[in-house]
Amino acid sequence: MPPLADFGRRLLARIIDALLIAIPLGLLEWATSDRWVYETRSGEDTSDVISRAYSGSGLAWNLIGIVAYLAYDTIMLKRDGRTVGKKLLNLRVAMLNDGSVPTTSAALARTAVLWLPALLCCPCLWQIVLIITILTDKPYKQGLHDKAGKTVVVSTAP
């Protein structure tokens, strides 16, 4: 099996992948949402905004985002073990037992543990938990998501 990937490259690949999903979704939400309602003081210029009311569409966009991340990661990993970020940084997700490309169930399990807990708690806290598990796991540098999918992240650089 190739050598295990270092943490810095793994983190950068994850940031690239997150941006690839977040930017288009953010633009789509911005373009289609009317979630900000503006109120003005009576008798004054309408550009004088005194409050903003949130309409509640945020939960729907969070769910859309989670589904997009689940689909992206699962499809990319079961195809060849590499997302766009991992390709750019010469990384690959491999099955721990034999180094093969993850099965659909392994890719889905890994991706679900990576993204679904973000619905239950603060996404930032969950990412910190994952980072700590990657940095402290011996000998395979597995995060909880890797353990769920029985995978490791390896370097594909020559």
Side-chain angles (χ1 to χ4, degrees), residues 40-54:
T40 61
R41 294 183 187 138
S42 61
E44 293 186 13
D45 183 8
T46 58
S47 64
D48 182 22
V49 176
I50 62 170
S51 69
R52 296 177 190 193
Y54 185 64

Side-chain angles (χ1 to χ4, degrees), residues 10 14 77 93 106-114 145-146 149 151 153:
R10 283 183 74 166
R14 177 62 56 208
L77 294 181
V93 175
L108 183 58
R110 182 182 193 277
T111 302
V113 172
L114 184 63
H145 56 298
D146 292 310
T151 61
V153 180

Side-chain angles (χ1 to χ4, degrees), residues 15-17 24-25 31 37 42 60 68 74-75 92 100 119 149:
I15 291 169
I16 291 168
D17 291 331
L25 283 178
V37 178
S42 61
T74 301
I75 291 166
R92 179 175 74 86
S100 64
L119 289 174

Side-chain angles (χ1 to χ4, degrees), residues 43-147:
E44 293 186 13
D45 183 8
T46 58
S47 64
D48 182 22
V49 176
I50 62 170
S51 69
R52 296 177 190 193
Y54 185 64
S55 71
S57 67
L59 177 60
W61 280 104
N62 281 343
L63 292 173
I64 291 168
I66 293 295
V67 169
Y69 283 114
L70 287 170
Y72 170 76
D73 268 3
T74 301
I75 291 166
M76 297 295 281
L77 294 181
K78 77 178 188 112
R79 196 179 79 205
D80 66 356
R82 300 175 349 155
T83 60
V84 172
K86 286 178 178 53
K87 285 178 188 177
L88 291 173
L89 293 165
N90 296 316
L91 303 175
R92 179 175 74 86
V93 175
M95 294 301 295
L96 178 61
N97 62 347
D98 63 4
S100 64
V101 171
T103 63
T104 301
S105 60
L108 183 58
R110 182 182 193 277
T111 302
V113 172
L114 184 63
W115 294 112
L116 287 180
L119 289 174
L120 304 175
C121 69
C122 173
C124 297
L125 290 177
W126 183 245
Q127 295 304 315
I128 290 169
V129 168
L130 294 176
I131 288 168
I132 290 169
T133 58
I134 292 168
L135 291 173
T136 60
D137 184 67
K138 303 288 187 240
Y140 298 114
K141 302 179 188 177
Q142 290 177 295
L144 294 175
H145 56 298
D146 292 310
K147 290 185 183 296

